[in-house]
Amino acid sequence: MGKKKIISGVLATSIALAATLGGCSLVSSNTAADMNQVIAEVNVANAAALDSELKEFKDAVGTSKVIKRELIAYFLNVGSTYINQYGQTYEQVFNMLVNSLVENSVLTQYSTLYLLKDKAEKESKTSAQIIAEYNAFSSQTQKYEWLLGSENVGKDNVEYSDEVYLAKYSLYSSINSAIDSYEKRIIKEDGSSAGTDTRTAPSGVDTEREDYYPKTSDGKLDYNVYTGYKKYLLADSGVYQKDPVEGTTRVTRIRAYNDFISSLASSGFTLVNNNENLRDILSLQYIEDEYATQLEQQIISKYYDVYEKDQEELLTAGEGESAYAYIQAIYEDKLGLQTRTYGKDESAFSSALGNMNDSTFVLYAPDTQDTGKYGFVYNILLPFSATQSAQLKSLQSLYADSDLDGGYKPEYYIARNEILNQITTTDQRSAWFNGEKEYAFKADASAEFYGKNNGREYLFFENNLTDAERYEELDKYYGKYAYNGKVVKSKDDYILAPNTLNMDTMLDEFAAYVEYACGRPVTVNKVSDYGEAIKNDKTALYKKVSGKDKIDYSNFIYATGSVGFTNTDDAYNRENFLKKDGENSQASEQYKALSAVNELQYAYTTDTGVLSQYVGYSVDAGDTSYIKEFEHAAHEAINKGAGNFAVCAGDYGWHLIYVTYTFDNTGSAQYSPDWKTNVKVKGTFENIFYEWIKDNDLKDISSTRRTQIITALNLEGNTVTKYENTYKDLLELDK
């Protein structure tokens, strides 16, 4: 279960901002002594409303201090946004940030007390015994390490818990990231340049799993800071050395580290005590402070874990089907509201359709007066070239006729077909090789992927595709479609020779890859005499509707087809089209096909707007805002159901339209939930709906539970003491 992170102390701000702090007048105007002033003190043991079961542990918690440097670093991270974008005053923003830091300190202390109680219960010890063990440690970091489950803390044979290793990893990776920023600048200034081209990438690229840290064979942390100095060489950095800054040398890294330290020092942060060696970064007092902050975050997270587990059990409390009564009640409430709303207002349904996602559900579809279904489609656009577009504009001027349906004479569409036949395309992912961010990698010779038999070698997003332990799975992205062309890796970049496709060979690629991904046959039906009817008889362009000539847009459908899913029922598809796990941990055929088509969008479409959509463009059953050729072809495919596709002509080029999802148009509920069977099967409707409830009831702990604790403890009175005079200068920056 994921949890939102809360800024705790200075770590999340000062290290992340280390590359930009230097020279900031807000910081440099404060001396080191001023930066270290106490702006508030917190002690929840003094709160009258402290939970009775926690009061017997209150002697373990002393008074926490909030330091001015934390406030300034926090402001630099988020506060300036409130001033520059929302027009708030410095006084308003700094007061808000002070309150946030104070509340976070309260939450840390409360979580500490809760975990002490939990530890006493699990180990059958008295509060006095647990408090004595806790206070026996000489430093706050050792106390936190022990509370997080580490053994032999303070001894040579210490065994750290996963939570402590997560804290260390987060700290070390933050430091490396900050130094990386400096080193990239240095390398660039020394003559290296990177490409600036971009192409939208799937969400989640290079996103680490929340509970990940690199481990050695014996379970210890396999990661260290790389500064270039002794003890912190690249060879000693563990997993970091697999992906350092491109072009790094010991010289450039030392320069970057020195700049990093200088920036912190000039910004007023206390780095050392007792003339410590600045080259030994992990011995610095500053880093020790930041480590304590990361441990505090783990203390809070561990408390959340305990609390969430207790609360999650309440969601499915009971026996048998009654165990899901709470979930069913929420479902029925939303369904009832939508039935009343959409049944009377079809436009409200259309609006909801366009906003559908994993937390905004459409449970009911109205009985539309328009023929056909509602649905969602992907769109792979093969566009006219610049020269072809210019030709098309000339044809539009030549054959314009406002008295005809469509605004053009039949000759325009005949001529457009000739240009359509000349459209070619190539793999659009060159920016993932030589652009702003390099995502390409040469696949292992033993790996299985599409295109391998044709000499294609390069895939994308190596981290996500090859290291499932560390990185999140990419959503709706199959990941095995190799770059369609030849690739040569040179010293500075990649040399690409893409293969050229026309609409026919694009369809061949489409059908072959989708079949490869989902294991089901893909049928393609091309119109062999496409365009000939209009060419031979211009009146064939039209059909009579209420006595008037209307364009028959079926003339512009070049091909149709379908994926031969084992189960083609619309209701089954709605339930399973995002199903990632099921029996034998296999994703559904529908999800595999959808993921393959989405990947082909990333590879070929020039309609990049569709790449940021949930499952494509929503399409109403009646009139839409899309061009009529696209609208007609989309309707035709949607009416046949998910897994169907069509290719149509248009004024932008060829559209390959794939149906991802459809709704019945009979005025009915769209699902028949089986909570007991599917609620834990990832990607099913029941699972997504259940996860949404947890998001609202549990996962949003960083606001809901935090608010509950802060409200209960009542920060007025003896719990918190603020020293406004120490930060009054910041409140008066507007004056």
Side-chain angles (χ1 to χ4, degrees):
M1 181 180 297
K3 295 177 288 293
K4 293 181 180 178
K5 298 296 186 187
I6 299 176
I7 292 178
S8 179
V10 72
L11 173 86
T13 50
S14 65
I15 288 186
L17 285 165
T20 58
L21 282 174
C24 176
S25 59
L26 178 66
V27 177
S28 58
S29 63
N30 290 271
T31 65
D34 182 35
M35 289 278 281
N36 286 310
Q37 288 191 90
V38 176
I39 63 173
E41 292 183 336
V42 176
N43 193 330
V44 299
N46 297 328
L50 181 65
D51 309 43
S52 58
E53 66 270 24
L54 300 183
K55 286 184 177 179
E56 59 183 295
F57 296 91
K58 65 180 184 180
D59 290 342
V61 177
T63 299
S64 299
K65 301 182 189 313
V66 180
I67 309 302
K68 190 173 184 178
R69 62 182 170 85
E70 300 180 41
L71 175 61
I72 292 176
Y74 196 178
F75 174 84
L76 292 172
N77 188 40
V78 299
S80 56
T81 301
Y82 288 94
I83 290 175
N84 298 329
Q85 295 186 19
Y86 304 119
Q88 293 192 16
T89 66
Y90 279 96
E91 182 177 7
Q92 290 172 323
V93 173
F94 274 111
N95 277 326
M96 177 186 68
L97 299 183
V98 168
N99 288 336
S100 181
L101 289 169
V102 164
E103 290 173 3
N104 198 74
S105 183
V106 169
L107 187 61
T108 300
Q109 290 192 1
Y110 181 91
S111 299
T112 298
L113 292 176
Y114 193 96
L115 294 181
L116 287 169
K117 178 184 75 71
D118 187 62
K119 191 176 184 68
E121 291 173 352
K122 289 180 178 178
E123 298 180 8
S124 299
K125 294 180 179 178
T126 66
S127 58
Q129 289 174 316
I130 289 296
I131 292 173
E133 292 181 35
Y134 181 74
N135 287 330
F137 296 103
S138 58
S139 69
Q140 189 62 55
T141 56
Q142 289 181 344
K143 291 178 179 180
Y144 285 155
E145 289 172 347
W146 174 80
L147 190 57
L148 289 169
S150 299
E151 298 181 4
N152 302 321
V153 174
K155 302 177 182 178
D156 292 338
N157 61 337
V158 60
E159 296 181 15
Y160 292 116
S161 64
D162 287 340
E163 291 89 348
V164 171
Y165 278 137
L166 281 169
K168 289 177 178 287
Y169 176 54
S170 181
L171 172 65
Y172 297 174
S173 59
S174 295
I175 296 170
N176 276 335
S177 179
I179 302 174
D180 286 350
S181 299
Y182 282 105
E183 189 173 22
K184 288 175 183 177
R185 294 181 193 175
I186 291 169
I187 291 173
K188 186 175 182 179
E189 290 169 358
D190 285 350
S192 175
S193 61
T196 58
D197 290 343
T198 61
R199 181 165 178 81
T200 303
S203 60
V205 170
D206 292 339
T207 299
E208 288 187 347
R209 297 186 183 277
E210 190 174 69
D211 59 353
Y212 169 81
Y213 66 87
K215 301 176 183 178
T216 61
S217 58
D218 58 355
K220 296 180 180 179
L221 179 64
D222 187 19
Y223 192 90
N224 199 5
V225 179
Y226 167 42
T227 68
Y229 285 115
K230 187 177 180 181
K231 289 175 51 179
Y232 302 103
L233 302 176
L234 185 59
D236 303 320
S237 64
V239 168
Y240 173 83
Q241 64 188 297
K242 294 182 179 180
D243 189 28
V245 172
E246 185 174 357
T248 185
T249 65
R250 189 175 178 186
V251 172
T252 58
R253 194 65 177 185
I254 288 175
R255 287 172 59 190
Y257 174 69
N258 290 342
D259 287 346
F260 167 70
I261 292 295
S262 296
S263 178
L264 288 173
S266 64
S267 299
F269 292 105
T270 302
L271 297 176
V272 298
N273 284 329
N274 301 322
N275 297 317
E276 291 166 309
N277 182 4
L278 281 174
R279 296 183 177 185
D280 187 3
I281 185 169
L282 295 186
S283 72
L284 301 182
Q285 181 61 45
Y286 169 77
I287 298 301
E288 179 72 10
D289 293 342
E290 304 312 322
Y291 176 48
T293 301
Q294 275 292 5
L295 290 172
E296 289 176 353
Q297 181 62 65
Q298 290 301 320
I299 292 287
I300 295 172
S301 293
K302 188 168 183 175
Y303 162 68
Y304 285 166
D305 288 339
V306 175
Y307 176 79
E308 287 175 358
K309 184 178 180 180
D310 292 341
Q311 296 301 307
E312 186 174 351
E313 290 176 355
L314 297 177
L315 293 181
T316 56
E319 299 294 334
E321 296 299 331
S322 66
Y324 303 98
Y326 178 72
I327 303 172
Q328 179 67 18
I330 294 178
Y331 167 78
E332 291 177 353
D333 182 63
K334 291 186 69 67
L335 174 61
L337 177 61
Q338 292 185 12
T339 301
R340 295 188 297 272
T341 303
Y342 303 157
K344 298 178 180 179
D345 186 356
E346 198 170 315
S347 64
F349 172 77
S350 297
S351 177
L353 194 68
N355 294 319
M356 190 182 83
N357 56 47
D358 281 351
S359 61
T360 305
F361 299 92
V362 178
L363 308 178
Y364 174 90
D367 185 359
T368 176
Q369 296 178 357
D370 298 299
T371 302
K373 303 175 182 177
Y374 295 88
F376 287 85
V377 299
Y378 281 150
N379 176 41
I380 300 177
L381 173 64
L382 275 61
F384 292 110
S385 67
T387 300
Q388 291 166 344
S389 293
Q391 293 175 333
L392 203 65
K393 287 187 178 298
S394 297
L395 291 170
Q396 289 171 343
S397 298
L398 180 63
Y399 294 118
D401 191 333
S402 58
D403 293 330
L404 296 175
D405 184 38
Y408 302 111
K409 297 176 181 179
E411 286 84 358
Y412 167 70
Y413 300 102
I414 295 170
R416 188 180 72 176
N417 283 339
E418 295 298 323
I419 302 176
L420 282 161
N421 290 331
Q422 301 168 23
I423 287 178
T424 60
T425 191
T426 59
D427 196 315
Q428 302 292 300
R429 296 174 291 180
S430 61
W432 291 354
F433 285 93
N434 297 319
E436 189 174 77
K437 179 73 173 179
E438 181 183 335
Y439 291 121
F441 72 98
K442 189 172 184 179
D444 188 271
S446 62
E448 290 297 326
F449 55 91
Y450 182 86
K452 182 177 182 178
N453 294 337
N454 295 324
R456 291 152 63 174
E457 300 178 299
Y458 279 82
L459 296 173
F460 304 91
F461 316 123
E462 182 176 16
N463 289 337
N464 301 83
L465 296 180
T466 65
D467 192 352
E469 178 185 1
R470 180 175 182 178
Y471 294 96
E472 296 282 1
E473 173 188 359
L474 294 179
D475 194 37
K476 307 182 193 77
Y477 187 90
Y478 196 65
K480 295 185 178 181
Y481 187 77
Y483 178 75
N484 194 356
K486 298 290 184 182
V487 180
V488 177
K489 182 74 167 74
S490 67
K491 179 181 178 181
D492 297 321
D493 57 12
Y494 294 89
I495 300 172
L496 307 176
N499 295 324
T500 300
L501 303 177
N502 57 27
M503 193 64 247
D504 287 332
T505 50
M506 177 72 240
L507 266 172
D508 292 341
E509 280 287 291
F510 176 90
Y513 186 56
V514 173
E515 186 169 317
Y516 171 87
C518 73
R520 300 301 300 167
V522 178
T523 303
V524 179
N525 305 303
K526 297 178 183 177
V527 178
S528 58
D529 57 348
Y530 176 76
E532 291 301 310
I534 303 175
K535 194 173 184 180
N536 295 332
D537 180 6
K538 296 180 179 62
T539 63
L541 178 64
Y542 304 99
K543 60 182 178 181
K544 291 290 184 181
V545 178
S546 300
K548 297 182 179 180
D549 286 336
K550 294 291 184 180
I551 290 180
D552 181 0
Y553 286 100
S554 63
N555 285 292
F556 304 122
I557 294 181
Y558 177 70
T560 61
S562 63
V563 183
F565 294 138
T566 302
N567 190 330
T568 59
D569 180 70
D570 285 337
Y572 179 87
N573 180 75
R574 278 194 294 276
E575 169 67 46
N576 294 282
F577 85 118
L578 293 180
K579 182 179 177 182
K580 302 176 184 178
D581 296 299
E583 188 176 353
N584 300 321
S585 298
Q586 292 297 310
S588 68
E589 297 167 356
Q590 287 80 356
Y591 180 71
K592 290 179 180 177
L594 174 147
S595 299
V597 178
N598 191 31
E599 184 179 4
L600 290 172
Q601 284 189 132
Y602 283 100
Y604 291 106
T605 193
T606 56
D607 174 19
T608 55
V610 76
L611 298 178
S612 60
Q613 301 296 317
Y614 177 57
V615 285
Y617 293 132
S618 61
V619 181
D620 286 347
D623 291 337
T624 72
S625 60
Y626 303 116
I627 62 171
K628 288 301 179 181
E629 295 93 329
F630 182 95
E631 177 187 285
H632 178 85
H635 282 161
E636 290 288 307
I638 287 171
N639 290 338
K640 295 175 183 177
N644 283 272
F645 55 90
V647 176
C648 74
D651 285 346
Y652 299 108
W654 290 115
H655 297 270
L656 200 172
I657 304 166
Y658 176 83
V659 182
T660 61
Y661 190 92
T662 64
F663 287 91
D664 286 337
N665 62 344
T666 56
S668 60
Q670 300 298 295
Y671 302 96
S672 300
D674 181 356
W675 307 111
K676 184 176 181 180
T677 301
N678 293 323
V679 77
K680 295 298 178 67
V681 180
K682 189 175 181 181
T684 60
F685 164 74
E686 291 90 343
N687 172 257
I688 295 172
F689 193 81
Y690 174 68
E691 290 295 326
W692 167 74
I693 291 176
K694 289 201 297 183
D695 278 338
N696 281 273
D697 288 8
L698 303 179
K699 281 190 182 179
D700 202 13
I701 289 296
S702 61
S703 59
T704 57
R705 185 55 181 157
R706 177 186 181 117
T707 300
Q708 291 171 0
I709 294 172
I710 298 303
T711 302
L713 295 182
N714 189 357
L715 299 188
E716 300 299 326
N718 297 326
T719 308
V720 173
T721 303
K722 294 180 183 177
Y723 302 103
E724 187 173 316
N725 284 337
T726 61
Y727 59 94
K728 187 176 181 180
D729 57 325
L730 300 176
L731 302 180
E732 296 177 345
L733 286 173
D734 289 307
K735 300 176 183 179

